Amino acid sequence: MESRKRASEKTNPHNQCLPKKYRQDQPTSSNKTISITIDGNHETTLNAVKEEIENQQDKEMLVCGKEGIKGYINLGIPEVSHMVITFSKTESEQREDKQAFGSQHQVCTDSIKFYIHAVGKRSERILKCRELHQEGKKLCVNGLKGESIKDTLRKDGRFNSFVESDHWKLISDLDTIIENTQPIDELEGKLFQVEVERKKCPQAANSTDLEKPSYYELKEYIVNKYPTLKRGSEKIRAYIKEESEIQSKKTSSFEMHKANFGKLTKNSTPTKVLKLLSQFSDSVGLIVWNNNGNEGYATCFVFKGLYVLTCMHVINDIVGKDIEQSKWAEKISQCTKVVFDYEEYLANEENCFSVESWFMIYDDTLDYALLKLEENEQQEPAGLFNGIAPVPSSGLIYVIGHPDIKQKRSDGCVLVSQDEHIQKRKAADDSDTTQYIYMYTQRSFQEKVREPGVSTWNNTFYCGSSGSPIFDSKGSLIAMHTAGFICEYESGVSSIIEFGCAIESIFNHIKTNHTTWYEKECANQ
């Protein structure tokens, strides 16, 4: 193990020998036999182990005791008589300053060994190694008698940054709480779970803000950056006007669409779909920002790993006007948080993620942007990208998001039928290959949608659900919500139609223009 030991000593600041007063008490292990299983081979020789460790220098070595000590260990614990060695893939999300596993701590007769569940009390990720974040796995922790719990976990080297704070404790037998300042003397052989206090999100909206009934109008300078908003609205307005003229002698087009919406959305939803939506909801987050008084909110969702997808016009709103694009990544990181469990008006404690200073994948035309969450002790939700599904031409679809900054909701929506009128216009416009979906939502057919002071409806866009994922009836991710606009029918009546960009268009743009990232993160999806 000498080569791994030398590498560990270089990278692990806690990998220090014990004071002399302990060394003389250490039992010798020169005659001890340790059985090692590596890659499933029980007949492993010492030379084979050395060779495998040399070949796997770019990976983390995970050592699990199977006899004597049962659980993942740091090397140097003499009670282990059989250990299984595996190697964890080095992940791009792990920090560059990660410490090597397998740090060799000296052990003396005054040492205390106890166990920690690999998963935190609220499913937090408490370990640096992602591969160990699984229910049922446990770590054997070794420290000196008289040492505090906090110091022992800090020196262990395998735990996340939460160990540097004071806001965590150990839980035993479901209800016994042990503060991290307590000595480890009485913990010998016992199993514990780490409970980390949830962080508060100071920028989260309060209940008064959430109850304000309003549509958040996109700023004019932002709208001017996105011709797709205008093109999309112009197409559907032309379609509605043409349809209204055809229907005028029969029945009101507005009433027909309103009745169809009510009919489709009042039908019962299959249990399978409800379960899928509930599962997907965990991956939908609220973006909150405060850039020197410029506050705002929008929706995002986990696309893959630590990467979240939202609208590019949301990013423009975050950074503000006249900011050099080279400074956007830093600005976004400084003032932006993402919250995934903000589901009720009066939720006081929020599980916030910070955003890394990373901004590389985006597009103005498709109005999308990827942000990267900072890794912390919390487990990020699962990614929602599950391959490409075709956009339906009609029927019921589902949006999950934070409309108008309210609590997280899952709404059934009805697609505006992509009939031959729209298809013909699409074919005539060879320059526009982007796929959009248009839909009626819960707020489309309200009695009064025209707001005071709005003189030109054609230039008014709303962003209450910007960045929300849209799913078809089978649970496939098909689009991302972009904006809403007022559409006038016959006799001056109007509704709000909302639309979004197809995930297929976004995915193809990423695949074509950001090949390296695509091959690393999505190629095997």
Side-chain angles (χ1 to χ4, degrees), residues 484-523:
F485 54 89
I486 295 176
C487 189
E488 188 171 1
Y489 284 77
E490 64 281 338
S491 305
V493 296
S494 58
S495 71
I496 291 181
I497 292 179
E498 302 183 55
F499 71 106
C501 184
I503 287 296
E504 182 174 4
S505 295
I506 294 174
F507 178 78
N508 287 337
H509 183 271
I510 293 175
K511 183 178 180 180
T512 302
N513 297 279
H514 304 281
T515 307
T516 302
W517 185 90
Y518 163 78
E519 291 179 347
K520 186 176 183 180
E521 301 293 341
C522 302

Side-chain angles (χ1 to χ4, degrees), residues 230-495:
K230 294 183 177 180
R231 286 205 302 268
S233 63
E234 288 169 358
K235 285 182 179 180
I236 201 68
R237 284 188 178 113
Y239 162 64
I240 293 295
K241 181 179 179 181
E242 188 173 329
E243 184 191 53
S244 297
E245 292 174 350
I246 296 174
Q247 291 288 336
S248 60
K249 296 181 180 179
K250 303 176 183 178
T251 183
S252 167
S253 180
F254 175 87
E255 293 298 332
M256 181 180 66
H257 289 169
K258 184 177 180 179
N260 184 55
F261 176 83
K263 178 181 177 180
L264 290 177
T265 55
K266 78 174 182 179
N267 290 338
S268 59
T269 304
T271 302
K272 181 180 180 180
V273 176
L274 289 175
K275 288 182 178 179
L276 284 172
L277 295 177
S278 176
Q279 177 184 341
F280 296 156
S281 176
D282 293 338
S283 301
V284 179
L286 179 69
I287 301 180
V288 222
W289 66 89
N290 186 344
N291 183 4
N292 293 324
N294 169 35
E295 296 182 82
Y297 314 84
T299 302
C300 68
F301 61 93
V302 180
F303 185 73
K304 186 80 165 58
L306 289 168
Y307 297 92
V308 296
L309 190 65
T310 191
C311 293
M312 183 62 184
H313 72 251
V314 170
I315 305 301
N316 277 273
D317 204 355
I318 293 174
V319 299
K321 295 179 66 174
D322 304 323
I323 302 296
E324 293 181 18
Q325 199 158 14
S326 61
K327 299 180 180 179
W328 283 22
E330 182 181 0
K331 180 68 69 175
I332 294 168
S333 179
Q334 289 173 348
C335 67
T336 308
K337 300 286 185 183
V338 176
V339 187
F340 288 101
D341 61 355
Y342 192 71
E343 297 179 344
E344 300 292 338
Y345 289 151
L346 300 177
N348 293 319
E349 294 186 358
E350 304 301 338
N351 186 4
C352 298
F353 279 83
S354 297
V355 177
E356 277 196 14
S357 181
W358 181 93
F359 187 67
M360 298 174 60
I361 301 178
Y362 56 90
D363 185 64
D364 289 324
T365 302
L366 297 178
D367 195 10
Y368 83 88
L370 277 179
L371 299 178
K372 187 177 182 182
L373 302 177
E374 281 191 358
E375 186 176 351
N376 60 22
E377 63 269 17
Q378 308 296 336
Q379 173 69 18
E380 71 276 2
L384 294 182
F385 173 68
N386 56 3
I388 299 300
V391 176
S393 59
S394 61
L396 195 62
I397 56 176
Y398 302 91
V399 176
I400 303 176
H402 292 272
D404 300 327
I405 321 171
K406 291 183 174 63
Q407 67 194 89
K408 190 184 296 185
R409 294 179 55 176
S410 173
D411 285 334
C413 306
V414 175
L415 281 162
V416 178
S417 179
Q418 302 274 321
D419 67 2
E420 58 183 288
H421 298 283
I422 294 179
Q423 298 298 336
K424 287 179 181 178
R425 291 191 186 90
K426 212 169 189 181
D429 187 1
D430 296 330
S431 62
D432 188 5
T433 59
T434 306
Q435 281 187 291
Y436 295 101
I437 65 171
Y438 303 91
M439 54 194 168
Y440 297 113
T441 68
Q442 299 295 329
R443 64 182 185 177
S444 289
F445 299 99
Q446 297 179 4
E447 293 295 325
K448 188 176 182 181
V449 296
R450 183 173 181 176
E451 296 188 4
V454 178
S455 57
T456 308
W457 289 8
N458 288 349
N459 294 326
T460 303
F461 295 90
Y462 304 109
C463 55
S465 299
S466 292
S468 299
I470 303 173
F471 304 91
D472 64 14
S473 58
K474 297 180 181 179
S476 296
L477 179 66
I478 58 172
M480 179 177 67
H481 185 283
T482 300
F485 54 89
I486 295 176
C487 189
E488 188 171 1
Y489 284 77
E490 64 281 338
S491 305
V493 296
S494 58
S495 71

